Amino acid sequence: MSKPLKKAAELISLLNAELRKHDACAGVTVDGISPVVDDRVDYTWTSSVLRKSATPVPGQCSRIFLAAVRVLQQQYDLAPEE
């Protein structure tokens, strides 16, 4: 069964919205979505870059981010760029 498509900007917005729910992620933003073309996995995109001005990203926020990526990968596929 095919998953609904989301543009990269929409996925970034969803990930940033999830980060804003957690105090540990104050000031942290997602810095991009990358397509994944690999028949061995069941997702079509990933994101691995977080940004925070002047200080490192807290470990707790990194874990929250990775969990959010996994959930959204199960829900949405990456729409092709136009």
Side-chain angles (χ1 to χ4, degrees):
M1 186 163 134
S2 174
K3 296 181 261 186
L5 298 177
K6 293 279 186 192
K7 294 181 180 182
E10 293 173 304
L11 292 168
I12 289 170
S13 292
L14 290 170
L15 288 167
N16 281 329
E18 184 60 34
L19 295 180
R20 284 191 293 275
K21 294 178 186 177
H22 305 277
D23 291 340
C25 297
V28 176
T29 58
V30 176
D31 194 36
I33 298 292
S34 302
V36 172
V37 182
D38 186 340
D39 293 336
R40 296 171 292 176
V41 297
D42 62 352
Y43 50 87
T44 60
W45 62 274
T46 193
S47 181
S48 59
V49 181
L50 291 174
R51 299 275 185 233
K52 184 171 183 178
S53 179
T55 60
V57 174
Q60 182 181 3
C61 184
S62 294
R63 290 186 291 279
I64 290 166
F65 167 71
L66 291 173
V69 167
R70 283 191 295 269
V71 168
L72 291 174
Q73 284 173 327
Q74 293 172 4
Q75 295 175 350
Y76 303 108
D77 278 336
L78 180 61
E81 293 295 322
E82 297 174 4

